[in-house]
Amino acid sequence: MSLSESESPIAARSGVESAWARLRVEAAAAAAEEPILASFLNAAVLRHDHFAHALAYRLASKLADAQLDMMLARDVAEAALEGDTKIVEQAAADMMAVEERDPACRSFLQPFLYFKGYHALQAHRVAHWLWGEGRETLAFHLQSRVSERFGVDAHPAARIGQGVMIDHATSVVIGETAVIGDDCSLLHEVTLGGTGAAHEDRHPKVGRGVLIGAGAKVLGNIEIGDGARIAAGSVVLKPIPAGCTVAGVPAKIVGDCCPQPARSMDQRLPD
């Protein structure tokens, strides 16, 4: 199952530039409102010329440790962002997705600075690039650091689309051969896990626009159709057709889905 095609390069660049312009305006307003954080906001956002540079700096400040100091972590992040420019486009789309879907989010600045689900996802994109470059040891180091720092354990080989929101993020697990399509929303304690110990394609393939509720476990090499909705606490062991709502242990189809569940975040079950 392949990820959907991304938007045109021109549109993608325009989206990044508009998101970056808004982020800078929000950072300037926050610095004026709360002068005690002005130095922090300047270092994190305002002193950078491009979104990619600010993103690399922010990731480095979060991921640095005794083995990989902030300067080295920033070099790694910048190498990934330069090596695959789609990462920057995906990061902007993810930021917009959080602001659109999370009613507790009031600005782009919140996820960029503070939301660990957003940080974990962008760090995974860097680790995934390293994995593709054959730098598996460093990719695993970042995976471990992300797990320790943000509570998200995503294998570097897992493929994740853009416009994705990982809300609250704590205890999210994404296996090696998992695929997550564009515009999906995952809540805390979601597991996209395998079955068995064999080295094979063993993890879920999640389509576009899927909503996976808190604590849901999706296990095995099964397909979750576009626009499906998985209720909180469900255990999914079989494929789910597009546009269906499933619930229970084991999960069963309980009705059709609302339009664009990952965007609306509507987790109510049908009567």
Side-chain angles (χ1 to χ4, degrees), residues 55 59 87 90-92 94-95 117-127 164:
L55 180 61
L59 290 177
I87 296 176
Q90 292 167 333
D94 297 339
M95 188 167 61
Y118 180 79
H119 295 152
L121 184 51
Q122 308 325 311
H124 168 78
R125 299 195 190 286
V126 173
V164 172

Side-chain angles (χ1 to χ4, degrees), residues 20 23 43-45 47-64 68-83 87-88 91 112 118-119 122-123 126 142 150:
W20 173 234
L23 183 65
V45 178
R47 73 181 180 89
H48 302 285
D49 294 328
H50 303 285
F51 180 60
H53 296 160
L55 180 61
Y57 179 90
R58 191 66 187 137
L59 290 177
S61 69
K62 288 288 186 177
L63 296 173
L68 198 67
D69 66 28
M70 185 167 173
M71 290 299 294
L72 287 174
R74 187 176 180 182
D75 288 345
V76 170
E78 288 186 342
L81 300 181
E82 292 173 4
I87 296 176
V88 178
F112 185 81
Y118 180 79
H119 295 152
Q122 308 325 311
V126 173
L142 288 189
F150 308 126

Side-chain angles (χ1 to χ4, degrees), residues 76-106:
V76 170
E78 288 186 342
L81 300 181
E82 292 173 4
D84 183 359
T85 57
K86 287 184 179 179
I87 296 176
V88 178
E89 298 163 13
Q90 292 167 333
D94 297 339
M95 188 167 61
M96 289 185 264
V98 174
E99 193 268 345
E100 175 190 33
R101 302 172 203 171
D102 184 352
C105 182
R106 292 171 169 80

Side-chain angles (χ1 to χ4, degrees), residues 27 30-44 46 113-114:
E33 177 185 309
E34 194 58 78
I36 197 171
L37 293 177
S39 178
F40 163 62
L41 290 162
N42 182 67
L46 295 172
L113 292 180
Y114 301 121

Side-chain angles (χ1 to χ4, degrees), residues 1 10 57 65 81 91 99 110 114 119 124 132 137 147-148 169 178 237 249:
M1 178 179 182
I10 293 176
Y57 179 90
D65 60 12
L81 300 181
E99 193 268 345
Q110 281 180 280
Y114 301 121
H119 295 152
H124 168 78
T137 300
S147 179
E148 294 169 355
L237 302 173
V249 182

Side-chain angles (χ1 to χ4, degrees), residues 5 51 102 154 195 200:
E5 294 181 2
F51 180 60
D102 184 352
T195 54
E200 57 187 19

Side-chain angles (χ1 to χ4, degrees), residues 126-219:
V126 173
H128 184 73
W129 178 81
L130 289 166
W131 186 267
E133 294 292 303
R135 301 174 67 180
E136 294 186 2
T137 300
L138 186 52
F140 279 134
H141 184 84
L142 288 189
Q143 176 192 0
S144 176
R145 184 63 177 145
V146 168
S147 179
E148 294 169 355
R149 194 75 170 83
F150 308 126
V152 175
D153 195 354
H155 193 285
R159 295 185 291 147
I160 302 177
Q162 67 180 30
V164 172
M165 180 178 75
I166 303 179
D167 195 23
H168 299 293
T170 300
S171 298
V172 169
V173 176
I174 302 173
E176 178 182 9
T177 59
V179 176
I180 300 173
D182 294 344
D183 302 319
C184 289
S185 294
L186 288 70
L187 280 84
H188 52 286
E189 297 185 357
V190 163
T191 296
L192 302 181
T195 54
H199 295 283
E200 57 187 19
D201 195 350
R202 62 196 183 279
H203 296 102
K205 311 296 180 286
V206 179
R208 289 179 60 108
V210 174
L211 172 61
I212 306 180
K217 314 303 177 188
V218 188
L219 305 177

